[in-house]
């Protein structure tokens, strides 16, 4: 019987829990976090408390030790910085392969998106560590966590500067308002934020706004070299829809695009398209929703 392990630093692992359930067998969450998480739909939760001023990555060796008997089990983790450190440590300790970018996972196969989603590979394995989207939090509840106290490797956070905007959790966002080069200045992004506020949505962007102008942080850009998201609603504002961008959001349930160019490629994948100027359309949408 397969045991699926889920390695995490927070509760945003709903998609991993669903994957573990579809694999069958038992599922165990290893949570490295200041407080024990609440996760429904799994058999067991092992909580590794994080010491004050210690980065979660410093517990990578502890996580690997907890999985020492995992053998050829399936290990799932979300595509986040500390989780990637855990994945590397576990894979090295167990001599298992790491598979990044899986879109679906079975007990011994995974579908993996390559080339920005242009190709889908089927990979067979006998035990693997898989890095994929974590999803949103599950409902509160689940088994009582077992505490596993352990000493981290030597690393200490000596200072922290707040970012100008809060950290993005786009993988868990159900609604996303995404901005492209149709915006003429950083200040103009305020109209997108008004729409996002009216919808209770996260804001995101195409790569030029994060890597080029730096109007948004790099954790907010969507695409082949950025975040992959699959929200219920994705609103693309002034985004042309190049494949490097759309490969990161093609899994969205409903896509709305606003663009002055009726021939923009984004309209090919949009469920609702508005050929118009974002400077007129977006404030009108926000006002209608307020
Ligand atoms: C190796 C590689 C990796 C890449 N990875 C990524 C990635 O991960 N993510 C990503 O996003 N890109 C990525 N890119 C870049 C990608 O190819 C595109 O250049 C980028 O996505 C374009 O961003 P954009 O749509 O915002 O800008 P543009 O392509 O310039 O499009 C701007 C759009 O805004 C419209 N517009 C202009 N003014 C208005 C207005 N007033 N109202 C409404 N619409 C208006 C225009 O008609 C146009 O369609 C990558 C490129 C390479 C080479």
């Amino acid at each position: 019987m397969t045991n699926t392990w889920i390695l995490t630093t927070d509760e945003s692992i709903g998609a991993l829990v669903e994957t573990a359930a579809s694999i069958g067998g038992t599922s165990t969450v290893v949570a490295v976090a200041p407080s024990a998480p609440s996760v429904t739909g799994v058999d067991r939760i092992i909580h590794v408390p994080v010491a004050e001023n210690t980065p979660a990555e410093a517990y990578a060796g502890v996580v690997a030790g907890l999985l020492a008997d995992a053998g050829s089990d399936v290990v799932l983790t979300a595509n986040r910085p500390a989780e990637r450190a855990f994945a590397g440590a576990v894979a090295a300790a167990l001599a298992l392969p790491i598979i990044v970018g899986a879109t679906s996972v079975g007990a011994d196969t995974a579908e993996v998106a390559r080339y920005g989603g242009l190709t889908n590979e089927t990979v067979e394995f006998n035990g693997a560590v898989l890095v994929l989207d974590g999803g949103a939090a599950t409902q509160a509840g689940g088994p009582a966590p077992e505490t596993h106290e352990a000493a981290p490797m030597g690393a200490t956070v000596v200072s922290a500067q707040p970012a100008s905007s809060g950290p993005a959790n786009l993988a868990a966002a159900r609604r996303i308002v995404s901005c492209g080069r149709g915006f003429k200045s950083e200040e103009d992004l305020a109209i997108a934020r008004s729409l996002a506020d009216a919808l209770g949505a996260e804001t995101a962007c195409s790569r030029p706004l994060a890597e080029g102008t730096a109007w948004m942080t790099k954790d907010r850009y969507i695409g082949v070299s950025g975040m992959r998201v699959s929200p219920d609603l994705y609103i693309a504002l002034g985004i042309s829809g190049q494949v490097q961008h759309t490969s990161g959001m093609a899994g969205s349930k409903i896509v709305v695009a606003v663009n002055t160019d009726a021939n923009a490629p984004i309209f090919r994948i949009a469920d609702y398209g508005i050929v118009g100027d974002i400077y007129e359309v977006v404030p009108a949408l926000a006002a209608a929703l307020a």
Side-chain angles (χ1 to χ4, degrees):
M1 186 171 62
T2 308
N3 184 34
T4 304
W5 299 80
I6 298 172
L7 315 181
T8 188
T9 55
D10 67 28
E11 294 178 347
S12 300
I13 52 171
L16 304 183
V17 172
E18 279 176 26
T19 298
S22 69
I23 291 172
T26 62
S27 53
T28 303
V29 172
V30 176
V32 179
S35 57
S38 181
V39 183
T40 51
V42 297
D43 298 295
R44 197 175 160 209
I45 300 172
I46 302 174
H47 172 222
V48 179
V50 174
E52 204 175 345
N53 295 329
T54 304
E57 285 90 332
Y59 291 85
V62 175
V63 173
L66 280 168
L67 272 73
D69 299 324
S72 57
D73 286 346
V74 174
V75 182
L76 307 175
T77 198
N79 194 1
R80 296 188 288 253
E83 279 81 346
R84 288 195 292 267
F86 301 161
V90 169
L94 299 180
L96 292 179
I98 293 194
I99 298 170
V100 178
T103 51
S104 72
V105 180
D108 52 14
T109 60
E111 300 292 315
V112 185
R114 298 281 187 220
Y115 311 113
L118 293 178
T119 304
N120 222 24
E121 292 176 350
T122 302
V123 181
E124 281 187 0
F125 50 79
N126 178 20
V129 180
L130 299 114
V131 182
L132 58 166
D133 288 339
T138 67
Q139 285 183 337
E146 304 158 31
T147 304
H148 179 87
E149 300 275 359
M153 293 179 274
T156 306
V157 178
V158 290
S159 75
Q161 288 79 41
S164 52
S165 61
N169 189 5
L170 295 177
R174 297 325 315 155
R175 296 169 181 176
I176 293 176
V177 172
S178 196
C179 308
R181 273 207 294 220
F183 284 84
K184 295 184 179 65
S185 75
E186 185 173 8
E187 293 69 39
D188 296 347
L189 296 177
I191 61 172
R193 294 202 176 96
S194 305
L195 178 59
D197 288 345
L199 284 165
E202 281 276 6
T203 49
C205 61
S206 61
R207 187 165 88 158
L209 269 66
E211 296 273 15
T213 62
W215 291 346
M216 285 201 187
T217 50
K218 289 181 183 153
D219 59 349
R220 286 189 189 268
Y221 86 81
I222 308 294
V224 64
S225 39
M227 291 290 296
R228 293 175 67 87
V229 294
S230 47
D232 295 332
L233 176 65
Y234 188 90
I235 303 183
L237 304 175
I239 290 176
S240 57
Q242 303 305 318
V243 66
Q244 292 89 354
H245 182 82
T246 56
S247 63
M249 45 67 72
S252 305
K253 289 205 181 86
I254 295 176
V255 176
V256 177
V258 183
N259 199 304
T260 43
D261 177 4
N263 295 315
I266 192 73
F267 287 130
R268 289 188 213 131
I269 61 160
D271 298 285
Y272 300 93
I274 301 173
V275 179
D277 189 329
I278 47 176
Y279 288 88
E280 294 166 14
V281 173
V282 179
L285 281 176
L289 288 161

